[in-house]
């Protein structure tokens, strides 16, 4: 059974860069069948799509975050990562990583999720 | 960007039927997905491609879509179905971008 595990600092100072890594338990990160994505959820609020990355490094970002966002993938380690720069308190959220599968209409949807990691932006 | 619209809350008695709607401009052309999120837990996919149920999801969960509205139905709701439910699909103004609905709190009591 696939497992996804987010890791990284739980506390980041304002204006700094939030960096998270997702570790994939099987070798599906190297296949052509999946994108790998990040979703976040501020405390008490709804889900927000952040972006996705393919095994070859192709990325698609939420336009509202694009200017501050960088995603990368390391297939040799079975990991993909998120860097969000110039963070503010509004970036405080639980961050989830997920494996995305396509459908016949090219909707890439999360089928498997990590447990999530709370990141607080505070001085 | 476009939006997906859901009612904030739905209440249902145990054993009765709950129906949650999701409205969006992309839905006539794009599939809808539904996620269940219980308090303090990660979301779980309960319906994909409008009406398909992943392995392990009870049969009481069903989905449908017509025009700009997708629906999630819980037939014979159980107390354990109390959760937030989110729909998901494509941003109609940017097909490379995906969006979640605001979520619907389902209360079973």
């Amino acid at each position: 059974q696939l497992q996804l595990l987010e890791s990284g600092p739980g506390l980041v100072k304002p204006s700094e860069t939030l960096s998270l890594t997702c570790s994939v338990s099987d070798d599906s990160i190297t296949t052509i069948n999946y994108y790998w994505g990040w979703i976040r959820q501020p405390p008490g609020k709804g889900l927000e799509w952040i972006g996705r990355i393919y095994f070859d490094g192709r990325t698609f970002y939420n336009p509202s975050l694009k200017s501050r966002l960088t995603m990368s993938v390391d297939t040799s380690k079975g990991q993909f990562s998120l860097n969000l720069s110039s963070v503010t308190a509004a970036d405080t959220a639980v961050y989830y990583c997920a494996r995305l599968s396509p459908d016949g209409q090219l909707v890439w949807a999360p089928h498997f999720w990590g447990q999530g990691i709370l990141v607080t932006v505070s001085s | 960007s476009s939006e997906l619209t859901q009612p904030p809350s739905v209440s249902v008695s145990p054993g009765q039927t709950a129906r949650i709607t999701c409205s969006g401009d992309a839905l006539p052309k794009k599939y809808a997905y539904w996620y269940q999120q219980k308090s303090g837990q990660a979301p779980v996919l309960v319906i994909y491609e409008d009406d398909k149920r992943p392995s392990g999801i009870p049969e009481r969960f069903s989905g449908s879509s017509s025009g700009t509205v997708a629906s999630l139905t819980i037939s014979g709701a159980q107390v354990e179905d109390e959760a937030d439910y989110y729909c998901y699909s494509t941003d109609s103004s940017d097909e490379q971008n995906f969006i979640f609905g605001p979520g619907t709190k389902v209360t079973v009591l």
Side-chain angles (χ1 to χ4, degrees), chain B residues 38-52:
Chain B
K38 296 182 179 179
S39 181
Q41 298 183 19
V44 172
L45 181 67
V46 294
I47 293 291
Y48 68 101
E49 296 181 10
D50 286 349
D51 58 8
K52 296 179 176 63

Side-chain angles (χ1 to χ4, degrees), chain B residues 15 25 31 34 36-37 47 50 52 56 75 78-79 83 87 92 96 99-100 108:
Chain B
D25 291 340
Y31 286 126
W34 291 93
Q36 176 194 68
Q37 186 179 35
I47 293 291
D50 286 349
K52 296 179 176 63
S75 303
Q78 305 295 308
V79 172
C87 62
S92 62
Q96 298 296 344
I99 53 177
F100 290 94
V108 183

Side-chain angles (χ1 to χ4, degrees), chain B residues 49-60:
Chain B
E49 296 181 10
D50 286 349
D51 58 8
K52 296 179 176 63
R53 205 171 42 251
S55 173
I57 300 301
E59 291 184 4
R60 62 181 180 274

Side-chain angles (χ1 to χ4, degrees), chain A residues 9-56:
Chain A
L11 181 65
V12 180
K13 289 182 168 55
S15 81
E16 295 188 345
T17 296
L18 181 161
S19 296
L20 296 174
T21 296
C22 182
S23 298
V24 181
S25 64
D26 64 13
D27 62 358
S28 60
I29 198 169
T30 62
T31 74
I32 65 172
N33 298 322
Y34 307 110
Y35 264 92
W36 303 89
W38 291 96
I39 299 109
R40 69 180 182 178
Q41 185 172 37
K45 297 187 177 180
L47 300 167
E48 180 182 25
W49 174 252
I50 297 175
R52 70 186 194 274
I53 188 166
Y54 204 44
F55 76 100
D56 63 357

Side-chain angles (χ1 to χ4, degrees), chain A residues 9 11-20 68 70 82-87 119 121:
Chain A
L11 181 65
V12 180
K13 289 182 168 55
S15 81
E16 295 188 345
T17 296
L18 181 161
S19 296
L20 296 174
R68 299 191 291 130
T70 304
L82 162 75
N83 283 331
L84 184 65
S85 65
S86 305
V87 297
V119 179
V121 178

Side-chain angles (χ1 to χ4, degrees), chain B residues 2-105:
Chain B
S2 64
E3 294 182 342
L4 295 172
T5 304
Q6 298 179 238
S9 62
V10 168
S11 294
V12 62
S13 299
Q16 298 303 303
T17 296
R19 182 169 175 262
I20 308 164
T21 57
C22 173
S23 300
D25 291 340
L27 296 182
K29 297 181 179 180
K30 298 293 185 181
Y31 286 126
Y33 293 72
W34 291 93
Y35 297 90
Q36 176 194 68
Q37 186 179 35
K38 296 182 179 179
S39 181
Q41 298 183 19
V44 172
L45 181 67
V46 294
I47 293 291
Y48 68 101
E49 296 181 10
D50 286 349
D51 58 8
K52 296 179 176 63
R53 205 171 42 251
S55 173
I57 300 301
E59 291 184 4
R60 62 181 180 274
F61 289 91
S62 63
S64 63
S65 187
S66 179
T68 60
V69 180
S71 299
L72 172 69
T73 300
I74 310 172
S75 303
Q78 305 295 308
V79 172
E80 60 263 32
D81 299 332
E82 187 162 294
D84 294 320
Y85 291 83
Y86 295 90
C87 62
Y88 171 94
S89 190
T90 304
D91 180 342
S92 62
S93 62
D94 178 0
E95 291 196 352
Q96 298 296 344
N97 194 34
F98 302 107
I99 53 177
F100 290 94
T104 298
K105 172 66 177 179

